[in-house]
Amino acid sequence: MKRMDEDIVHFDLTTGRPADVVSTLRRRVSAYTREDRVGRFKIGITNNPSGRFSNGYARDYDEMIVLYRSPSRDSVSQVERDLIEHNEEITRNRIAGGGGDYGEPPYYLYLVVRYK
């Protein structure tokens, strides 16, 4: 069981236009979700990474890695859709993104992982 004071939200941020960053983000997702280390993972968007992890994922996932930041909801949604589609066979996402109200910018794209 994790202690709530553990550093479980990590920032490995990239910024920029989706077309300029998507290949880098695909590689990062692949590196963070290697089959020999990760049992499951999910990709999402929030404007409050720590709050989202503690209120939505802390029970079922071990860590959140924040990968991308943008002031544009359209940009972060575009990146989310691409990454979910690229990983559709192995991610726990039921839909290809766009599942909620994200509040005010900046917006963050995250990856939550459950280790084996």
Side-chain angles (χ1 to χ4, degrees):
M1 184 74 164
K2 296 176 293 299
R3 292 186 348 243
M4 289 311 291
D5 61 343
E6 289 182 40
D7 189 17
I8 51 181
V9 176
H10 299 277
F11 289 80
D12 185 10
L13 285 176
T14 295
T15 61
R17 294 188 317 235
D20 296 337
V21 301
V22 74
S23 64
T24 297
L25 292 172
R26 284 181 180 182
R27 286 191 303 274
R28 282 201 191 142
V29 168
S30 293
Y32 280 118
T33 61
R34 289 184 15 205
E35 186 177 343
D36 62 326
R37 295 179 7 158
V38 171
R40 64 181 176 207
F41 70 94
K42 193 170 180 181
I43 298 164
I45 297 171
T46 186
N47 70 338
N48 179 358
S50 295
R52 181 69 176 116
F53 185 81
S54 63
N55 292 320
Y57 294 114
R59 281 189 171 174
D60 298 322
Y61 291 88
D62 296 317
E63 182 177 26
M64 175 185 277
I65 303 106
V66 183
L67 298 172
Y68 179 68
R69 180 185 68 218
S70 176
S72 166
R73 185 161 45 186
D74 289 341
S75 291
V76 77
S77 294
Q78 183 179 345
V79 171
E80 179 192 32
R81 277 190 305 276
D82 180 88
L83 293 176
I84 291 171
E85 287 174 13
H86 185 74
N87 292 283
E88 69 183 332
E89 299 294 319
I90 54 176
T91 184
R92 289 286 177 123
N93 292 81
R94 292 189 304 241
I95 60 173
D101 177 19
Y102 308 116
E104 296 296 318
Y107 303 106
Y108 299 91
L109 179 123
Y110 62 82
L111 175 69
V112 288
V113 295
R114 175 72 173 201
Y115 295 109
K116 289 184 174 181

